[in-house]
Amino acid sequence: MEETTILVYRRENGSLGIRNHVLLLPLDAVSYSICRGVSHLVNGTKTFYHPYGRMQFGKDLELHFRTLIGTGRNPNAAAVIVVGIEPEWTKVVTDGIAETGKPTAGFSSVGNGDLKTIEAAARKAVEFVRWATGLRRIEAELSQLCIGLKCGESDTTSGLAANPAVGLVTEHLVAGGAAVMFGETPELTGAEQVLVHAFQGPELQKEFLRVYQSYFDFIRSQGVDLLGSQPNQGNIAGGISTIEEKALGNIQKIGRAPISGILDTAQAPGGAGLYFMNTSSAAADLLTAMAAAGAALQLFTTGRGNNVGNPICPVLKICANRETCRNSSENLDVDISGVIGGELTLPQAARQIETAMRQTCSGRYTAAEILFHEEFAPSRLFPQS
Amino acid sequence: MEYCVLRHCPEDTVGVAIRPIAAGLEASVRDLSTQACFSLPVREDIPAFFKVALTDLPAHTRVVEYGQAIGQTTQDVAAGACVHVHNLKTLKW
């Protein structure tokens, strides 16, 4: 009989995770060397590189902190070690994560050099791994999770099958009480007047149109359009001709679920429901932002194959293009190409996706995890001082 | 009858080829919302997953897919012709 429950980690603040990372979180580009050093010494730790974290200020710094703190707070991280250069910013990020109640420690390298910092952080990592690997999974339901939605390297099969199938999954999840997020403000262009009706209430509808319009005005203020960028060359090779067509295919991912809130980039949803996050549509950036907002799992549909992943949040790849399923099978998790030929119905495809979600939640690696796709791309608002 | 073009809904003026279709073939079109089927003479080669005009679309006509405008034609497009970036442009800019 098919399993209907999943096995997850319950964190100190009640959030549910599906992985159990001891995370070595570099505050800035330079501190990655120390994190890497610790990760080579201590089995069971996870780290990643990113190029930012110095001389940022104002709203851009707020976003960087929110992204790093959110990443540490993500329920897939059991415990976190923050490494920075100066103690002040290190403490800001460490304290933001420690609020969840999870074991957290911060180390700053100034005055210590790399090697002494590596030793101190590694001793703490040993302690955290010993503790984290002793944790046990408990039974839960898919609809108790926080989940992100994204599509990438879309083609016309995305709008015909993969996104509508995910739309049915979204409807189930939202009806069951999950927190679900989607974003990609630029890729709503041409579908904004359709999508607006999914927002609950006139205030939220007005706010969405304001957020969308301010993005559209920004493009115009640059004296450019998005031709050549949206749709991109891969989309065009896959049969998508205009941004409107891409956007109308994109929004199939939310099905007919009502939207109950709008989030800033990397902002955590306040509760259950479907949320729109104002973000870029670049895959690594959005996956990073939704993981920082607390996504335990993300669903990613692709037409021609985008192999992106995330260091702490499994990304489940769903594809309805038979050729891509054949030529890139190692990068894909759920083949629903039968929908196009009529051998598989959309509800059957949705059930296949939900089965794969349960397996992933309970521990099975996604294609992106197996192939080390651990892209971490924090969004930026403007250049450093 | 095995279909080779999918249409999202009856309002659409284009459909999506689900496999390559050679010019001169009679394509069977299936509507995803009503399951209705009809046939369409295809007048040029359509690559897999590219769009085909389901009706004549004179220059500057709004093209409809998903029941919504996805752009407008930049030249006359006959029913059965391929619709893509060479004859369809966004309405946004």
Side-chain angles (χ1 to χ4, degrees):
Chain A
M1 211 179 95
E2 197 182 322
E3 297 275 336
T4 57
T5 56
I6 54 175
L7 291 170
V8 302
Y9 296 95
R10 186 179 194 87
R11 301 303 173 201
E12 292 77 0
N13 62 355
S15 63
L16 300 182
I18 65 172
R19 294 294 181 265
N20 201 39
H21 300 300
V22 171
L23 183 62
L24 307 167
L25 184 64
L27 201 155
D28 53 72
V30 179
S31 300
Y32 167 69
S33 287
I34 291 167
C35 293
R36 187 188 55 204
V38 176
S39 75
H40 288 171
L41 289 171
V42 184
N43 192 3
T45 56
K46 166 79 70 186
T47 192
F48 50 79
Y49 174 78
H50 66 81
Y52 303 125
R54 298 293 287 167
M55 306 304 171
Q56 291 180 249
F57 63 96
K59 286 201 172 306
D60 184 58
L61 179 61
E62 278 174 33
L63 175 57
H64 187 67
F65 280 158
R66 188 161 71 239
T67 305
L68 290 186
I69 292 170
T71 303
R73 292 173 71 102
N74 184 291
N76 293 339
V80 185
I81 291 172
V82 180
V83 182
I85 296 177
E86 294 139 359
E88 293 78 9
W89 281 17
T90 307
K91 184 171 178 345
V92 170
V93 175
T94 308
D95 288 352
I97 298 167
E99 225 178 53
T100 59
K102 72 176 69 178
T104 310
F107 296 88
S108 51
S109 59
V110 73
N112 294 312
D114 274 13
L115 299 183
K116 284 200 287 290
T117 313
I118 288 174
E119 185 190 345
R123 287 187 185 283
K124 185 53 84 175
V126 167
E127 184 190 313
F128 282 178
V129 169
R130 190 171 279 145
W131 172 79
T133 53
L135 297 175
R136 289 290 165 261
R137 288 177 182 259
I138 60 161
E139 250 184 43
E141 305 280 339
L142 269 184
S143 57
Q144 291 175 264
L145 296 181
C146 179
I147 289 171
L149 309 174
K150 170 79 183 108
C151 50
E153 208 62 10
S154 300
D155 64 13
T156 50
T157 68
S158 307
L160 282 171
N163 290 344
V166 166
L168 293 180
V169 174
T170 302
E171 290 171 12
H172 295 164
L173 288 170
V174 171
V180 182
M181 301 174 282
F182 73 105
E184 310 180 62
T185 313
E187 287 187 18
L188 301 178
T189 300
E192 74 278 7
Q193 297 300 336
V194 179
L195 186 67
V196 67
H197 300 294
F199 286 85
Q200 296 300 286
E203 285 305 307
L204 213 48
Q205 294 183 351
K206 213 169 104 189
E207 175 61 7
F208 165 67
L209 290 177
R210 191 196 63 74
V211 167
Y212 172 75
Q213 192 58 43
S214 75
Y215 174 76
F216 196 74
D217 292 345
F218 164 72
I219 299 297
R220 291 234 275 238
S221 75
Q222 299 299 300
V224 295
D225 57 39
L226 293 181
L227 288 174
S229 162
Q230 292 283 13
N232 66 25
Q233 292 308 313
N235 303 140
I236 291 171
I240 293 176
S241 312
T242 64
I243 181 62
E244 293 95 322
E245 185 184 17
K246 185 171 175 177
L248 290 162
N250 178 6
I251 64 169
Q252 308 293 316
K253 290 201 300 290
I254 68 164
R256 292 176 187 173
I259 304 169
S260 43
I262 298 175
L263 305 171
D264 203 350
T265 305
Q267 183 190 350
L274 177 61
Y275 292 81
F276 163 65
M277 184 185 285
N278 182 23
T279 64
S280 146
S281 39
D285 304 53
L286 180 47
L287 295 178
T288 299
M290 291 196 293
L297 172 69
Q298 308 201 47
L299 304 183
F300 191 110
T301 61
T302 186
R304 290 164 49 81
N306 180 330
N307 305 334
V308 66
N310 181 270
I312 58 156
C313 179
V315 178
L316 194 74
K317 292 285 167 57
I318 300 150
C319 183
N321 180 321
R322 183 158 285 153
E323 196 184 327
T324 306
C325 290
R326 218 171 10 232
N327 67 26
S328 311
S329 61
E330 74 276 23
N331 293 110
L332 298 171
D333 297 291
V334 193
D335 173 352
I336 54 165
S337 56
V339 173
I340 299 291
E343 304 97 51
L344 193 68
T345 66
L346 280 178
Q348 287 169 336
R351 277 199 293 279
Q352 280 191 16
I353 294 168
E354 286 168 1
T355 299
M357 289 169 74
R358 290 192 189 95
Q359 291 166 337
T360 302
C361 288
S362 299
R364 191 176 78 173
Y365 274 13
T366 61
E369 286 179 289
I370 293 170
L371 294 172
F372 287 112
H373 271 285
E374 300 184 342
E375 290 79 33
F376 185 84
S379 296
R380 295 294 311 279
L381 297 177
F382 45 76
Q384 292 106 310
S385 63
Chain B
M1 186 176 169
E2 200 181 355
Y3 59 88
C4 53
V5 175
L6 286 173
R7 182 178 73 176
H8 288 276
C9 58
E11 297 84 355
D12 291 0
T13 57
V14 289
V16 177
I18 62 164
R19 64 177 74 94
I21 308 172
L25 282 182
E26 194 77 12
S28 169
V29 184
R30 181 170 153 238
D31 187 287
L32 282 168
S33 63
T34 64
Q35 308 304 320
C37 277
F38 59 96
S39 77
L40 173 82
V42 169
R43 58 173 68 227
E44 60 183 335
D45 290 349
I46 314 286
F49 307 130
F50 280 38
K51 291 177 293 300
V52 57
L54 301 174
T55 174
D56 287 338
L57 300 165
H60 313 298
T61 304
R62 288 190 170 214
V63 174
V64 177
E65 189 186 4
Y66 300 96
Q68 303 290 329
I70 61 163
Q72 66 179 352
T73 51
T74 54
Q75 54 186 263
D76 292 346
V77 179
C82 187
V83 178
H84 201 18
V85 289
H86 61 291
N87 55 14
L88 171 63
K89 189 178 178 302
T90 174
L91 293 159
K92 284 288 177 179
W93 34 70

